[in-house]
Amino acid sequence: MDNILEVENIEKRYGDLVANRDVNLAVRQGEIHAVMGENGAGKSTLMAILFGMIRPSAGTVRLRGKPVQFASTLDAISARIGMVHQAFKLFPSLTVWENIVFGAEPVRGALLDRKAARERVAALARTHHLDVDPDAVVGKLPIGMQQRVEILKALYRDAEILILDEPTAVLAPAERDGLLKIMRELAASGKTLLFVTHKLNEVMAVSDRVTVMRRGEVTDRMVTADTTAAAIIRAMTGREVSHEVVKPATARGRPLLEIDRLMVGNAAKPALDAVSFAVHAGEIVGIAGVAGNGQAELVDAVTGRRVIDGGTLTIAGTRANDLSLRERRGLGMAIVPEDRHDVGSVAGMPAYVNMSMGKHRAPPLSRRGLIDRAAMRRHAETLIQRFGVAIQGPDTRVGTLSGGNLQKLIVAREFDHQAPVLLVEQPTRGVDVGAIEYIHRVLVDERSAGRAVLLISSELPELLALCDRILVLYEGRIVRELAASQTDEKEIGFYMAGGKGA
Amino acid sequence: MIDLISPFLIYSAIQAATPLLLAAMAGVFCSRVGVFNMALEGQMLVGAFVAVAAGYFTHNAYAGIAAAMVGTMVFSVILAAGSTWFRGNPVVLCIGMNLLASGMTAYFLRLVFGVSGTFTNPAIPLIPRLSLPGLAALGPWGAVLNNQTAVTYVSWLIVVLCTILLFRTPIGLRIRGAGENPEAAVALGVDVDKLQFATVVVSGALVGLGGAQLSLGAVTLFSEDMTAGRGWIALVAIMLARDNPVGAALACLLFGLTDALGLRLQSFGLPNQIATILPYVITLVALVAFAKRKRQLA
């Protein structure tokens, strides 16, 4: 088989920082080629070079045997390379066909040829089994559908090579399986796919070959069928990482977070419909569900961002329905939010401020109503060390951190409260393998220390590994409670999709 | 009441709506392309002044109109270049432009014509009114649409053209997309800075045309700050219509009606001051009503 794309000795420097060093990559026509690596390994830089977003400092890119140099993404597009970015670049208020033909519109005279545009989009969708309504407004489509629009955009521009940058990070499990199927079909129809990810199971499931990167360099190249997950992890991290979570036996204590017949939303179609459960000291309870089945409302109700319309919420024995979030935290609850950028941290502020938030009102971090910056810095330094956050120092602004490190910082701040109740939302989304391992370990440690942990996650393996019990939310109701040790992904997925138990 | 709602009232409403309408079309395009244009007031004032000045020297109303359009386009470069290549904040730029327009027209009024306050002169031409024979035959209600200035007829044609341009052409699609997600538009090869610059400058011609109608359409004079909030009302119309040209045009017609109604009520003995605030009160009521409806929808 011929190599359609070859990267030879690519190097990219930003001052002293080397983002890519001596990178070589060979991609064959019609294969799914995974590019793996932890955050900051240089995958994104390499893809940005291939798509003409940045220029390499040295090295050659060969396309179909000929060296190419892209001055912009337009050059890459005309060389029939397409890219689906992790953050979609769509126009939410425009229709699917408008999004797809944008910038390369079919015309009749001076006017848009709407009929031709629609037909071409529909035909393209049919050919590639990307079922989507050309007249739907993109902003109203689910994320998985929006991603199909992005793929169609590239195909409309005759892309032969498709770069998918962490495409599954934003998807629910069912959507992810749909995407993997689409990827296989695209490859079977002769397209070449570059699949950037740090999710092992997806690489094992779908890719033909793997190139692994670490710290800007390629550390290994493997044929997927001939390798193991452990070998890939070793190449990514440079060490052995245990994927197994060891959960010591704990005695289940008294209930610390109690939710009784909780109602949220209007009576006709409640977002949460009489949800009842309790999380006891020394256990991790997981919430599984396809996005949009009430998880967000549950978190909002528990954290006080949304009014509780019925039922009771009890935190550490005290009714908390009408308390503010500050009062609820005062009862003994710490929160690791899903959106670590907008909710969990203040990007423009230094680490010591971010790590002191919530403790800044009382001694030792403030005295007589005035903030003690020196004490905050000391506090931050202690936490940075204890939780192993890779950061220059307490004065570094947190907006510069990678997803995994920012998450470690937030986890450090929240767990330091030693609150009896922990509400943890999507703790490892977009986080690399090393940080996942770490976060999982501290969550289990908290459980051992007798905390009550409520874990909301879209990663079923994570729920299975960490939880004692898993509750499945479907259309605002808890449809099933499963013991994590006696269930599997298939069973959870069945109930997530609205399946009825025997 | 019969006397109040007369054909003449509607005639005046259409006449009063013309400058609003033109400014609103310009504002719709700017808003769609992603440059929120709060300088409509200042642009219109510049247009009104240039129209009077050029009309006075050439004795030709159409020369006045042409000069107003070109002059306002030149003035619009401040916003067009400032918000694109110089990455300025459009709000700050627009506040500056409004203040500049007010001061600059007053300054040139004194410098060129030696007067302050109001300048009027027989040499200033009136935009000719077109008499359409078919309409005259329809009696007094037909006359509502008759004998308006050419600018008024053209302005409604422009509403139709703007709607087609925005929703049925490739450039319109790009304008809508560039405003909503500039990064995505750039990724697809659209030069957003260039598109924004061109949109702001070209749409400036429409506001200039509106200004010319204001100073040469019903009257033939220029007075300091004679736009009297019309640019802002056009902005309200845009927001009420959520950047839809036809909706904005209808909102402008409503505001034109309140304007005419205020004047009409004066002749019924309503104090002058109350008559002048009427359009603004109705605007506020419309805004509140709209905000309520929007909240219900959300």
Side-chain angles (χ1 to χ4, degrees):
Chain A
M1 261 198 284
D2 285 340
N3 289 331
I4 185 167
L5 181 71
E6 285 167 322
V7 170
E8 288 165 9
N9 311 322
I10 282 281
E11 187 161 294
K12 180 66 191 174
R13 292 172 177 278
Y14 297 99
D16 288 340
L17 188 87
V18 184
N20 274 180
R21 188 203 306 271
D22 203 19
V23 170
N24 287 279
L25 176 73
V27 184
R28 289 177 193 159
Q29 166 97 44
E31 73 170 346
I32 300 179
H33 193 112
V35 178
M36 288 203 78
E38 297 191 284
N39 289 333
K43 300 169 299 198
S44 302
T45 305
L46 180 60
M47 294 308 131
I49 290 170
L50 293 180
F51 196 53
M53 293 153 80
I54 52 177
R55 288 194 208 208
S57 313
T60 322
V61 176
R62 276 178 208 282
L63 195 62
R64 298 174 193 96
K66 292 195 196 83
V68 286
Q69 278 184 325
F70 298 144
S72 73
T73 57
L74 294 182
D75 289 352
I77 290 171
S78 54
R80 305 179 77 182
I81 298 178
M83 182 156 180
V84 175
H85 300 268
Q86 193 177 358
F88 300 153
K89 293 178 186 261
L90 293 169
F91 311 106
S93 77
L94 303 186
T95 63
V96 167
W97 71 262
E98 284 175 323
N99 266 280
I100 292 170
V101 304
F102 191 97
E105 306 87 352
V107 288
R108 207 176 45 196
L111 299 183
L112 260 179
D113 192 343
R114 290 147 62 103
K115 193 162 159 254
R118 265 197 211 97
E119 276 167 7
R120 280 171 67 179
V121 168
L124 206 57
R126 249 193 328 271
T127 316
H128 295 285
H129 308 286
L130 289 156
D131 181 31
V132 57
D133 173 14
D135 289 309
V137 174
V138 162
K140 289 183 181 157
L141 292 175
I143 297 290
M145 281 289 177
Q146 294 189 8
Q147 192 169 50
R148 291 183 183 191
V149 177
E150 282 284 19
I151 295 173
L152 282 169
K153 263 166 72 178
L155 295 175
Y156 178 80
R157 287 162 179 79
D158 292 325
E160 282 296 319
I161 301 172
L162 207 53
I163 302 171
L164 300 160
D165 186 13
E166 308 252 359
T168 56
V170 291
L171 300 182
E175 288 178 324
R176 180 198 59 200
D177 294 343
L179 175 69
L180 297 182
K181 188 163 162 267
I182 289 167
M183 286 170 63
R184 275 189 217 104
E185 281 171 3
L186 285 172
S189 74
K191 306 282 180 195
T192 307
L193 279 77
L194 264 169
F195 179 34
V196 180
T197 183
H198 49 232
K199 289 189 181 160
L200 270 172
N201 50 352
E202 292 165 8
V203 168
M204 300 307 284
V206 83
S207 73
D208 298 303
R209 293 194 303 154
V210 193
T211 295
V212 184
M213 295 182 72
R214 173 157 46 97
R215 291 186 193 153
E217 296 178 57
V218 171
T219 49
D220 211 342
R221 290 178 197 80
M222 306 175 233
V223 175
T224 312
D226 303 338
T227 188
T228 60
I232 295 176
I233 291 186
R234 210 177 306 120
M236 275 169 71
T237 60
R239 64 194 165 91
E240 296 290 337
V241 174
S242 157
H243 227 51
E244 293 291 304
V245 180
V246 185
K247 268 194 311 188
T250 54
R252 192 164 110 153
R254 63 192 182 90
L256 291 174
L257 176 69
E258 294 163 89
I259 284 164
D260 186 37
R261 302 196 59 76
L262 194 73
M263 303 284 296
V264 167
N266 60 353
K269 197 175 175 297
L272 287 180
D273 190 0
V275 167
S276 301
F277 65 91
V279 187
H280 297 252
E283 73 168 345
I284 300 179
V285 172
I287 302 284
V290 177
N293 276 286
Q295 299 94 318
E297 288 80 3
L298 177 64
V299 171
D300 287 352
V302 173
T303 56
R305 268 190 298 199
R306 210 176 151 145
V307 176
I308 294 171
D309 295 308
T312 50
L313 165 72
T314 310
I315 298 171
T318 308
R319 185 185 142 97
N321 278 35
D322 305 315
L323 300 184
S324 70
L325 176 55
R326 195 198 286 188
E327 289 163 331
R328 289 180 202 202
R329 275 180 173 272
L331 293 176
M333 179 169 70
I335 302 157
V336 177
E338 173 176 359
D339 185 344
R340 59 187 79 111
H341 296 285
D342 288 340
V343 180
S345 65
V346 186
M349 286 190 159
Y352 77 87
V353 174
N354 272 289
M355 299 185 93
S356 302
M357 281 181 210
K359 289 195 158 183
H360 59 281
R361 283 181 219 95
L365 298 188
S366 69
R367 277 179 308 189
R368 288 177 225 99
L370 293 180
I371 279 169
D372 183 349
R373 282 168 189 268
M376 282 188 172
R377 284 202 180 85
R378 281 196 302 276
H379 171 70
E381 265 163 15
T382 319
L383 286 183
I384 286 169
Q385 208 153 40
R386 194 155 57 125
F387 285 81
V389 185
I391 187 171
Q392 277 180 317
D395 289 295
T396 309
R397 285 193 279 172
V398 301
T400 58
L401 293 179
S402 73
N405 268 312
L406 183 58
Q407 186 70 332
K408 277 187 181 176
L409 183 140
I410 294 167
V411 165
R413 176 186 71 207
E414 295 298 326
F415 287 15
D416 184 54
H417 285 285
Q418 308 200 332
V421 178
L422 291 176
L423 175 62
V424 183
E425 235 185 314
Q426 311 292 358
T428 56
R429 177 171 285 176
V431 167
D432 57 60
V433 184
I436 290 175
E437 182 202 24
Y438 183 80
I439 289 165
H440 284 177
R441 210 173 64 226
V442 290
L443 272 168
V444 170
D445 289 348
E446 290 298 308
R447 170 179 173 271
S448 306
R451 318 255 190 258
V453 183
L454 181 62
L455 172 68
I456 292 107
S457 176
S458 56
E459 296 292 326
L460 297 185
E462 175 168 275
L463 289 173
L464 285 166
L466 293 176
C467 296
D468 296 284
R469 292 183 290 140
I470 296 170
L471 309 173
V472 184
L473 263 182
Y474 178 72
E475 292 188 345
R477 292 161 186 259
I478 292 181
V479 291
R480 194 75 182 178
E481 176 178 334
L482 300 159
S485 54
Q486 284 155 31
T487 186
D488 54 25
E489 279 195 51
K490 216 173 139 193
E491 192 185 12
I492 301 174
F494 173 73
Y495 292 112
M496 280 169 69
K500 296 277 188 293
Chain B
M1 244 3 229
I2 301 291
D3 281 347
L4 186 62
I5 303 187
S6 65
F8 182 70
L9 179 79
I10 307 299
Y11 175 86
S12 316
I14 293 172
Q15 179 173 294
T18 304
L20 302 179
L21 191 65
L22 289 164
M25 289 309 110
V28 163
F29 271 89
C30 292
S31 179
R32 287 277 187 171
V33 84
V35 181
F36 191 59
N37 185 351
M38 292 193 351
L40 296 172
E41 179 81 3
Q43 288 175 302
M44 200 191 290
L45 193 61
V46 167
F49 179 83
V50 175
V52 162
Y56 172 79
F57 289 116
T58 62
H59 308 294
N60 183 327
Y62 293 105
I65 289 172
M69 292 171 74
V70 173
T72 311
M73 281 169 77
V74 172
F75 183 60
S76 308
V77 170
I78 300 175
L79 176 61
S83 63
T84 54
W85 294 309
F86 295 102
R87 303 275 164 237
N89 180 333
V91 174
V92 176
L93 285 164
C94 288
I95 290 171
M97 285 171 74
N98 287 327
L99 294 172
L100 180 66
S102 175
M104 198 170 64
T105 52
Y107 173 73
F108 281 114
L109 193 63
R110 183 167 301 195
L111 191 75
V112 180
F113 301 111
V115 295
S116 61
T118 301
F119 173 65
T120 181
N121 189 297
I124 305 174
L126 190 70
I127 301 174
R129 276 146 211 278
L130 301 186
S131 175
L132 307 175
L135 286 171
L138 289 174
W141 287 99
V144 162
L145 297 174
N146 205 356
N147 287 318
Q148 300 277 9
T149 65
V151 176
T152 296
Y153 296 120
V154 167
S155 71
W156 286 94
L157 189 65
I158 285 174
V159 174
V160 176
L161 290 178
C162 282
T163 310
I164 293 172
L165 183 65
L166 198 55
F167 295 111
R168 290 283 188 270
T169 65
I171 190 97
L173 178 63
R174 290 172 192 196
I175 284 173
R176 286 182 286 146
E180 185 170 9
N181 188 349
E183 226 182 293
V186 169
L188 293 173
V190 172
D191 187 337
V192 172
D193 279 348
K194 213 157 112 186
L195 188 64
Q196 288 181 331
F197 182 90
T199 305
V200 172
V201 169
V202 172
S203 71
L206 294 180
V207 196
L209 185 60
Q213 161 76 10
L214 195 66
S215 60
L216 302 180
V219 294
T220 52
L221 60 85
F222 180 84
S223 68
E224 288 176 25
D225 295 324
M226 73 182 296
T227 43
R230 284 184 178 81
W232 298 108
I233 291 195
L235 198 65
V236 171
I238 296 162
M239 294 170 81
L240 282 177
R242 278 186 267 181
D243 298 337
N244 185 294
V246 175
L250 294 177
C252 288
L253 201 56
L254 175 73
F255 291 135
L257 186 67
T258 65
D259 204 19
L261 201 61
L263 285 171
R264 183 91 180 129
L265 285 171
Q266 266 183 64
S267 62
F268 280 74
L270 193 78
N272 178 24
Q273 289 79 1
I274 294 191
T276 13
I277 65 168
L278 192 66
Y280 305 99
V281 171
I282 292 180
T283 305
L284 276 177
V285 170
L287 274 178
V288 171
F290 177 73
K292 268 206 173 135
R293 205 191 60 180
K294 203 165 149 188
R295 196 167 309 158
Q296 277 166 2
L297 287 175

